[in-house]
């Protein structure tokens, strides 16, 4: 077999050194200047995998001809993978007698290398596909097999979901033990470790057995994680041979359910096609980019045929004599668009069939030509769509010299403007937008000025449009300004902090108005009639073909290949089983030989609106149950937004000494009394320790303001042990602490959470009656004096709003019998002087009359 240097004889693309990230760190790669980094990374990943393959990667064999021991082309381009493949196949072909002359083997290697560096072809290695069962509908056991297959798919999916959720719960159990500091036995006991108790209860409610929870605790004590590895879904669970229409009709419901349930089942029309498809999955594959051979005068048929012959020979050498090899074409739909033909139209089907038929003749039986879907091959060809899929649209992404990714018109879209007679600028404005609010419908400078926007806000929005992918991003609060939104548009701080806040919607623009303005300013990958483009142009540029157009175009390519090819048909997540049945019927009517149905996954924010309580059904004979008072606990999930503290806030300062080291704890509270911030000041400590404690307090404050419960911090940091530690002085509740953090969170737990169990004061022991000294002591304690309110309420914080005569009365004390009678007789406070001396409506201290009755309380 003889080969000529066609592409290799032409000047190749300019190569530059790129710095890319890899598992071993940054590496430098020699790559074409016009190739995006994502495509270069795909070639690099493939080359790293190829380096492990057997065969010559360096031309060092002295028995080889001289032409195969050296190459004038760069062997390190794209990570060296293309050269290693070309060299290995050239050596194997020379040894097996494929080439007539050494110069043919050298031309084969150089041409194969040049085509790969240009991004015109790509080759994948062997596809290791597991053997899948085949279900024939003509068999009598087919209905039972279909039901078992559906049950197996559902069981595998539920198992993955349940294992992921349960593994997360058990991992929290292990984590609660690992993060605990102190006695290992206490850390591993739910009775003494509150965080472990909550995690264990959550795991039990999720279905974990107590034995599994105990194993998770033991795993945590060993410092290990409990989360199991998630099982990976199989590529294909079964191949269904449909047979004739009679068998399909008998199993139509089961087929519709399987198609709707998952894409893990292939529907094939005959047993012969099923055998060929199964065999096809075991051999190497290659792809050719049709756009690489399209010129202003049409397809370069001679160069295209030579490339098909070259790639077919390479695949045959790679596969050997006993295995199949498959060749496919990429960007068929994009080529039709570049010629001004709508996807699925009669003209597009005829021209695509002619090109695929030309490839079949050029391959000359060395390999089979098939409509193959292979994302990995497509990525190495620059994101090309293999097989019969529709094109990706007129917008593509280009990379500048400094690595910035920008949107631009694709090559196929630019060629389509010439074929359709459309000005490129018109298409560019419709697709990429004008990036300015001037002349925009609804949302323009005049309309914004009428709403209160000043030239300052409008200019800031205009400057952001070039970097925005959505119009509301240019009107974000940090661009327009929080003060403008509050003062001019009247947005409340709470609404301003809501996730997904939309300035334009708040300004009164409707969704339709925002969408029309966004199409004008930012463009649309699917322009509409408002873009000014003709109906013919819009039909050609469409990226959403109908089901019939997909079936028609795929059927045309399948006819040209003369063998079955699997077509993936998409369904939205909300589609019903009846929708899947309609796809089955349409595929059968179109004569499709092989297909699978792929339903989209659920949205990331999917959440069912379930009622908190489901009332019991009421029948005519049933009597309504008696009304009972119940306490309902409801879990409220807060938005992950920061709750700002008021500018003037209350709190307290606690001075204490832990192990002789002074500590000042400052707290700040919200208006409702909830803790919102803390400050920890150390007296005469080292600068490093003081800085660490200050920044630790800031971190805790931010967590509190984002909604982290104080209970979580208390459970996490009490009982931590480090110096300084020891006795605590200056605090009437905490008398000892194992560390500064232990003291701080004991104090916060006692003061804000009522966690008296964290207090360790050595006060007076209680007697059996719980009232202090008990009945054995006949001496009564002196009555506590009323306390002025200034001791508890900051006069500066209240700005003198608290009356000077406001007092807090003592309560709960022990009194003598006479004092108790006197207290009952004079139980009212005089509103004039504040003395507790009102008897029968008359104050004995100042003589003022009072309407307080005898026996009333404050």
């Amino acid at each position: 077999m003889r080969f000529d240097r066609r592409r290799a004889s032409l000047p190749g693309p300019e190569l530059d050194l790129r710095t890319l990230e890899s598992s071993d760190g940054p590496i430098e790669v020699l790559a074409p200047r016009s190739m995006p980094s994502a495509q270069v990374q795909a070639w690099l990943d493939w080359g790293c995998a190829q380096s492990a393959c057997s065969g010559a990667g360096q031309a060092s064999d002295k028995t080889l001809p001289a032409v195969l021991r050296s190459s004038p082309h760069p062997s390190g381009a794209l990570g060296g993978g293309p050269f290693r493949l070309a060299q290995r196949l050239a050596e194997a072909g020379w040894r097996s007698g494929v080439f007539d002359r050494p110069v043919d083997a050298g031309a084969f290697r150089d041409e194969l290398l040049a085509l790969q560096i240009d991004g015109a072809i790509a080759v994948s290695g062997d596809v290791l596909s597991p053997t899948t069962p085949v279900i024939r509908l003509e068999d009598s056991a087919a209905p039972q097999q279909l039901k078992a297959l559906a049950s197996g798919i559902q069981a595998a999916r539920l198992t993955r979901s349940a294992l992921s959720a349960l593994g997360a719960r058990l991992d929290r159990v292990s984590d609660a033990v690992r993060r605990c500091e102190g006695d290992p036995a206490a850390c591993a006991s739910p009775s003494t470790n509150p965080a472990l108790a909550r995690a264990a209860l959550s795991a039990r409610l999720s279905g974990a057995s107590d034995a599994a929870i105990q194993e998770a605790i033991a795993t945590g004590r060993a410092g290990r994680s409990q989360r199991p590895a998630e099982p990976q879904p199989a590529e294909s669970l079964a191949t269904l041979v449909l047979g004739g229409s009679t068998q399909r009709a008998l199993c139509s419901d089961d087929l519709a359910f399987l198609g709707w349930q998952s894409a893990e089942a292939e529907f094939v029309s005959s047993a012969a096609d099923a055998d060929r498809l199964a065999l096809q999955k075991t051999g190497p594959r290659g792809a050719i980019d049709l756009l690489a051979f399209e010129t202003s005068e049409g397809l370069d048929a001679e160069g295209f045929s030579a490339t098909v012959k070259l790639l077919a020979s390479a695949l045959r050498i790679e596969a050997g004599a006993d295995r199949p090899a498959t060749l496919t074409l990429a960007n068929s739909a994009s080529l039709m668009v570049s010629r001004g033909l709508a996807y699925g139209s009669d003209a597009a089907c005829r021209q695509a069939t002619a090109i695929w038929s030309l490839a079949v003749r050029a391959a000359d039986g060395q390999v089979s030509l098939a409509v193959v879907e292979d994302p990995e091959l497509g990525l190495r060809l620059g994101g090309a769509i293999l097989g019969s899929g529709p094109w990706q649209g007129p917008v593509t992404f280009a990379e500048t010299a400094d690595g910035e990714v920008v949107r631009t018109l694709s090559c196929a879209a630019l060629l389509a403007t010439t074929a359709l007679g459309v000005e490129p600028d018109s298409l560019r404005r419709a697709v990429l937008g004008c990036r300015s609010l001037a002349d925009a419908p609804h949302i323009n400078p005049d309309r914004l000025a009428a709403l209160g926007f000043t030239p300052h806000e409008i200019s800031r929005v205009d400057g952001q449009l070039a970097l925005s992918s959505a119009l509301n991003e240019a009107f974000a609060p940090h661009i327009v300004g929080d003060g403008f939104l509050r003062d001019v548009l009247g947005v409340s701080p709470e609404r301003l902090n809501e996730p997904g806040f939309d300035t334009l919607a708040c300004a009164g623009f409707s969704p339709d108005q925002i969408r029309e303005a966004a199409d004008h300013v930012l463009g649309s990958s699917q322009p509409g009639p408002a873009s000014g483009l003709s109906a013919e142009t819009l039909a050609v540029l469409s990226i959403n073909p109908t089901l019939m157009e997909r079936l028609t175009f795929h059927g045309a390519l399948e006819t040209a290949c003369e063998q079955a090819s699997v077509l993936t048909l998409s369904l939205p997540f909300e589609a019903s089983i009846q929708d899947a049945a309609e796809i089955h019927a349409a595929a059968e009517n179109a004569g499709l030989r092989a297909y699978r149905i792929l339903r989209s996954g659920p949205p990331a924010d999917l959440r069912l609106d379930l009622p908190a309580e489901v009332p019991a059904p009421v029948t005519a004979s049933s009597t309504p149950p008696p009304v009972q008072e119940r306490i309902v606990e409801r879990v409220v999930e807060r938005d992950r937004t920061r709750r700002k503290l008021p500018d003037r806030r209350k709190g307290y300062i606690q001075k204490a000494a832990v192990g002789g080291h002074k500590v000042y704890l400052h707290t700040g509270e919200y208006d409702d009394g909830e803790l919102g911030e803390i400050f920890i000041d150390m007296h005469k400590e080292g600068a490093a320790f003081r800085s660490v404690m200050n920044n630790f307090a800031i971190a805790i404050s931010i967590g509190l303001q984002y909604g982290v419960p104080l209970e979580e911090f208390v459970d996490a940091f009490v009982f931590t042990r480090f110096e300084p530690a020891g006795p605590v002085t200056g605090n009437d509740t905490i008398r000892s602490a194992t560390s500064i953090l232990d003291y701080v969170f004991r104090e916060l737990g006692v003061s804000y959470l009522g966690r008296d169990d964290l207090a360790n004061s050595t006060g007076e022991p209680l007697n059996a009656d719980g009232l202090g000294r008990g009945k054995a002591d006949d001496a009564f304690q002196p009555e506590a004096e009323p306390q002025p309110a200034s001791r508890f309420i900051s006069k500066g914080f209240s700005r003198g709003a608290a009356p000077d005569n406001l007092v807090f009365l003592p309560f709960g004390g022990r009194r003598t019998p006479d004092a108790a009678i006197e207290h009952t007789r004079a139980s009212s406070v005089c509103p004039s002087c504040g003395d507790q001396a009102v008897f029968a409506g008359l104050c004995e201290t100042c003589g003022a009359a009072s309407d307080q009755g005898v026996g009333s309380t404050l």
Side-chain angles (χ1 to χ4, degrees), residues 308-321:
V308 172
K309 177 184 176 182
L310 177 80
L311 186 55
S313 301
L315 292 173
R316 177 46 52 206
I317 296 173
E318 178 77 0

Side-chain angles (χ1 to χ4, degrees), residues 187-411:
C187 290
S189 174
S191 60
T192 56
N193 187 344
L196 174 60
R198 289 194 298 268
L201 180 59
S202 176
R204 177 186 286 174
L205 295 176
S206 298
S209 63
D210 287 359
I213 297 175
Q214 184 62 40
E215 291 178 357
I217 294 175
T219 303
R221 295 190 66 174
R224 301 173 64 89
S225 174
Q226 181 69 13
R227 183 184 293 272
E230 297 185 6
Q232 298 297 323
E235 178 184 357
S236 178
L237 291 182
T239 299
L240 308 181
V241 180
L242 301 177
S245 58
T246 303
Q247 288 81 9
R248 300 188 190 191
L250 293 175
C251 303
S252 59
D253 293 341
D254 293 331
L255 294 177
F257 178 73
L258 277 174
W260 173 85
Q261 188 180 35
S262 71
E264 297 169 336
E266 295 178 353
F267 303 93
V268 187
S269 60
S270 66
D273 288 339
D275 294 339
R276 280 193 294 267
L277 289 173
L279 189 62
Q280 185 186 94
K281 297 177 182 178
T282 63
R285 298 174 179 176
I288 300 176
D289 185 4
L290 288 174
L291 289 178
F293 301 91
E294 182 72 357
T295 66
S296 58
E297 300 177 355
L299 187 71
D300 178 13
E302 184 178 356
F304 173 68
S305 298
T307 301
V308 172
K309 177 184 176 182
L310 177 80
L311 186 55
S313 301
L315 292 173
R316 177 46 52 206
I317 296 173
E318 178 77 0
D322 301 330
R323 292 184 302 155
T326 306
L327 189 149
T328 190
L329 305 181
N331 284 329
S332 297
S334 298
L335 180 62
M336 297 301 104
V337 170
S338 69
R339 297 181 176 186
L341 303 177
Y343 180 85
S345 63
D346 293 339
C349 291
R350 286 195 302 270
Q351 293 196 23
T353 300
I355 294 174
W356 282 71
S357 299
L358 176 62
V360 171
R361 293 192 298 270
D364 195 22
Q366 295 188 78
V367 296
S368 62
L369 200 72
V371 186
V372 176
E373 299 173 354
D374 193 326
E376 191 272 332
L377 281 177
L379 186 57
R380 279 194 279 142
L381 293 179
I385 299 298
L386 272 63
S388 62
W391 80 317
Q392 294 179 316
V395 179
T396 188
F397 294 92
E399 188 174 353
T400 61
D402 56 356
E404 183 181 357
V405 178
V406 296
R407 299 167 73 241
T408 185
L409 289 180
S410 65
C411 177

Side-chain angles (χ1 to χ4, degrees), residues 728-739:
V728 177
T729 58
N731 191 306
D732 58 355
T733 304
I734 313 298
R735 296 302 176 90
S736 64
T738 59
S739 65

Side-chain angles (χ1 to χ4, degrees), residues 17-29 41 44 48 79:
L17 276 177
R18 306 271 191 92
T19 301
L20 299 178
E21 293 293 333
S22 68
S23 58
D24 299 328
I27 60 173
E28 290 188 340
V29 182
Q41 186 69 55
L44 183 63
C48 292

